[in-house]
Amino acid sequence: MHDFLDNYIRFLTSLSFNHFVRLFWFYIFFEFARYFVLEFIILNFVMLRKYFERDKYKKAKKDLFFEYPLISILVPGKNEGKHLYKLVNSLSEQTYQNIEIIVVDDGSDDDTPIIGKSLEKAGKIDTFLRNEVRGGKASGANLAFRYAKGKFIVHLDADCSYDRDAIEQIIIPFYMDDNIGGVGGNVMVRNYKESLATTLQTIEYYDTISIGRMVTSHLGWYRVISGAFGAFKKDILDNIGGWDIGPGLDGDITVKVRKLGYKIHFADEAVCLTSVPRNFKILAKQRLRWDKSIVRFRVRKHRDVMYPNQHFKFSGFFSFVENIMFSIILNVKWYFYLGDMLYNFPSAWLAIFFTNILLYTGTNYLKYILYSLYRKRKNAPMSYFLIYIPCMVIYFGFYMRVVRTIAHIQEFLFKKSYEDPWNPLKTSQHAKKMGL
Amino acid sequence: MSRIEENIEHLDGSIKFEGISFLLIEHLDSLRVDEAQFHEAVIIDGKDESFVRQIVKRIRSHAKPEVYLKPIFLLKGVNIIDPLVNQLIDGSLYSLEQIPYIKDEVEKLLASIKEIQFSRAISFEAQMIVKMISFLHSRHKTLLEPIPYAYSDVNYTYPCLSVNFNHTEEFAVFDILDQAVYDGIFTAEFVDRIYLCSQCSNGRMSYREVCPKCNSSNSSTDDIVHHFPCGFVGPMSDFKNEIDDELDCPKCNKRLRHIGVDYDKPSVIHTCLNCSHKFQDYFVKAKCLTCSHDNSVEQLKTKQINRYTLTQKGVYAALNGYVSTSKDIDEIIGTVKYDTFRTMLKYEIERLKQTDGSSNICAIHINNPNEIYSSIGSEAQQGMLKDVVRIIRSNIRSADVIAFQDSSTIVLSMYEIPKKIANRILDEIINILERLMKTAFKGVQIEFVTNVIKLEQTISHELHLHNLTKDFT
């Protein structure tokens, strides 16, 4: 141990600037530059813009309440009955009340039909629809959408709950900019104390959703309106025919809205609380699904956003490139970096590895503390997470990277997303045949 | 002419055979039900079912055991299929020549009826129980079976009990039967369950599937179609094109080819043609055909229909005529027992033989007790009777006595005053009572009838009492 420390100090003191850049290029150019420096700069722009647009925001809010349009809230799902009461309770508390709640039970085999029907009878749900045969999340959402009467459509997950002003906050952006076609809500973790997995996901959500989406939204690159909380203009959804077959249907519909020329906006003050997977095994399954869908939808189905045709939009192009770049290419580059270090600096790999850990951990602390100042809405004490920050290197740097690699291999080589039981085979096989 | 036929003696409206007198009822307007008590049995000319039903009901619902227990035979003109009638008659004959063949049956029934002793039950429930068990016992029955009955407003009838109620108040039989079970007269065994209107307790309802929003039953139904390739879901009408009978997806324009392969029908949707509401599950509503109240099925009152068996206690009560229920009216302050009243009347007649005074007895009778007691309930019934006694007591002298003959008939003495004054006092009492009842029991029409008779030294106290109340039905 003593020898290691001696060697390590010697290694650090011998590092020149050029040497440092050569050894930690991956960290410097990708992780630090993209995920901290650029993000931090943009974040300040976001805040400035919010400040300067505060009157516009107030007017939009006034316009919303003056027009007071009907908002259709769609809640498709299977076996979600146990969550419904809590969900409708949080919706009944909303500051915006001209809403219709349409719940679709997609072939549940538990008590969901009984619970749904009784809530409909009690007037807590406006319409409860049941498909006796499961058709998948998209078919559930489309059925609800078919009978929605509102000017705006809000898509929710049944296992989430919402801040009192969440519906109001997610609709206001539509009144700030007519060209906004879809708005994503800010998804936070409810069960952050349940396990190490949920705690680490909470830190991840703070970073990638609460802050990350503010940045990508500002740049016009915001790419996934979360299915847990997203809003759309109804006429736009009419135009694109609702949701296509999943998994990954929330990202898919976001691209489709963007392709029509509409902007996608992130409403950081429209807060939704969700329960995240409580162990790493379930989390891996979820992330495999998400990462496979990036390949399926970004690289295959919607690759046309790259082509310079009449529908070409720079925002769509950059959103696509950013997504491909940092989700897929960066992942490959990381392996390239690993190979580079092991091949060219085999004797110093331990010191490089250790330094990388220190660099990442330091950055994570810096980001966490700095970004906390920018987050208006906090659902957990900031100090609670401080001791878990060092784990994020393992979580992001290794666990997530391995999961992502497996997902990309499975999807690139075997198109595994079409076999995902999350979607019924009867629809997936058609999607596969048609390249959807 | 055979020897038997020779012995049948045709009188005006009756037939006599070997000392047994049969009241023959051929027309509705010819019937004074009270007349039945002066004959051993009744023969009804069964020309049509509704006529027979009316006559049987009037006899069996009569307040006096001398009438309601009377053996009834049907002279069959038409085939009577009404189960209520068939349960309440004692037999039938095809011609009057067959009377000798029912003689034994009549004698047997009369002997059974004779065994029964009657005491005056005061509470309405007790009176009904007495009627029911005395009828069952006199017919050697121990089982009271519910019969599905089209003319009943609660869908089932217990003939010897239900006959006492008109159709709008028939649900009261359940309270009486529950009381009888509670008091150990009957044991109950489950047969069925019925659903009654939450407002008027009627069982005749029209069940409809209605829109959950506006309650209209005017709706249309469409299949929901799910197109697998593009995930579009909508009603069948969305897929129908106007050119041919084929189905085309409105989202991806593909033709639907094969159910289960490229599309399926996961559910149906109903559209209300009144308010355009879309829904999958109808509400079921039950509209009462009597009061028009539209009940949701959860609101309906449920009632268990039981088969009842007379217990030993019930048999004993039938024989001894003593039924005291937990709902019986306690001795009301200001009254004496009916037996005491009779004894005092007997002594008063004896006293009048020694003097030249003028004494009277009066009766106040509630003409529609079944209707009133079934609608106000037994608690209110006691309160009402206490009020009635209080008013009578405050309008008569303290030396006069009041007694209940039954829950609907009050007798009182007005000794040592002329009949004219007795009448005036009684009119005054009725006047006050009617005003009080109008205020206290809104919506319930209480009909009082009265009678005053002057005591005659030559007539027995029993006959006085009979004459006093004979016109009350």
Side-chain angles (χ1 to χ4, degrees), chain A residues 53-248:
Chain A
E53 287 187 343
R54 64 191 188 280
D55 289 337
K56 195 176 170 186
Y57 170 85
K58 279 181 194 164
K59 185 180 178 304
K61 184 174 177 177
K62 208 170 146 188
D63 289 348
L64 167 66
F65 278 90
F66 180 75
E67 186 188 334
Y68 209 54
L70 178 67
I71 295 167
S72 300
I73 295 177
L74 317 185
V75 191
K78 186 190 175 200
N79 293 345
E80 301 281 15
K82 54 188 175 292
H83 304 299
L84 286 178
Y85 186 75
K86 198 164 60 185
L87 172 73
V88 296
N89 250 355
S90 87
L91 292 176
S92 68
E93 287 291 307
Q94 287 297 311
T95 50
Y96 191 89
Q97 274 298 317
N98 192 19
I99 56 175
E100 61 162 357
I101 304 170
I102 305 173
V103 176
V104 173
D105 165 20
D106 188 30
S108 294
D109 45 23
D110 62 357
D111 289 339
T112 301
I114 299 165
I115 297 166
K117 281 173 193 172
S118 64
L119 287 170
E120 185 187 35
K121 206 166 187 181
K124 301 245 179 201
I125 289 174
D126 294 276
T127 310
F128 177 77
L129 300 168
R130 171 170 164 78
N131 282 335
E132 293 294 336
V133 186
R134 184 180 166 229
K137 188 95 169 182
S139 80
N142 285 335
L143 178 60
F145 175 59
R146 174 60 185 76
Y147 293 103
K149 298 190 281 281
K151 183 180 176 184
F152 298 101
I153 303 293
V154 176
H155 184 289
L156 303 183
D157 275 353
D159 62 349
C160 297
S161 54
Y162 299 84
D163 272 12
R164 288 192 72 246
D165 61 349
I167 299 294
E168 173 192 325
Q169 291 293 349
I170 206 166
I171 300 297
I172 286 173
F174 291 110
Y175 285 81
M176 292 177 75
D177 184 346
D178 277 346
N179 208 31
I180 288 177
V183 179
N186 190 355
V187 182
M188 292 186 182
V189 178
R190 187 197 292 129
N191 57 337
Y192 65 94
K193 275 184 177 172
E194 196 176 340
S195 65
L196 178 65
T198 63
T199 306
L200 299 185
Q201 285 174 85
T202 309
I203 301 169
E204 180 197 3
Y205 274 49
Y206 282 155
D207 185 16
T208 59
I209 295 183
S210 297
I211 298 297
R213 288 183 179 177
M214 278 164 81
V215 171
T216 52
S217 173
H218 181 80
L219 293 170
W221 300 348
Y222 174 31
R223 57 182 181 267
V224 182
I225 292 179
S226 167
F229 194 24
F232 303 90
K233 281 181 176 163
K234 182 168 189 292
D235 51 355
I236 296 175
L237 290 193
D238 278 330
N239 201 346
I240 59 178
W243 285 263
D244 285 353
I245 300 160

Side-chain angles (χ1 to χ4, degrees), chain B residues 141-188:
Chain B
K141 288 180 181 170
T142 53
L143 206 61
L144 183 63
E145 286 270 10
I147 297 167
Y149 190 49
Y151 294 102
S152 166
D153 275 6
V154 291
N155 303 331
Y156 277 92
T157 185
Y158 294 93
C160 63
L161 178 60
S162 304
V163 73
N164 296 294
F165 298 89
N166 70 40
H167 67 95
T168 58
E169 62 203 34
E170 231 180 309
F171 62 90
V173 300
F174 300 117
D175 293 339
I176 291 162
L177 288 166
D178 287 348
Q179 188 62 47
V181 171
Y182 182 79
D183 291 325
I185 307 286
F186 284 117
T187 56

Side-chain angles (χ1 to χ4, degrees), chain A residues 121 130 142 146 244 430, chain B residues 231 238 251 261 280-281 298:
Chain A
K121 206 166 187 181
R130 171 170 164 78
N142 285 335
R146 174 60 185 76
D244 285 353
H430 283 277
Chain B
D238 285 2
K251 179 175 173 183
V261 175
Q280 284 188 306
D281 291 301
E298 294 82 2

Side-chain angles (χ1 to χ4, degrees), chain A residues 223-228 232 243 247-255 290 293:
Chain A
R223 57 182 181 267
V224 182
I225 292 179
S226 167
F232 303 90
W243 285 263
L249 65 167
D250 40 6
D252 175 56
I253 200 163
T254 312
V255 176
W290 288 5
S293 73

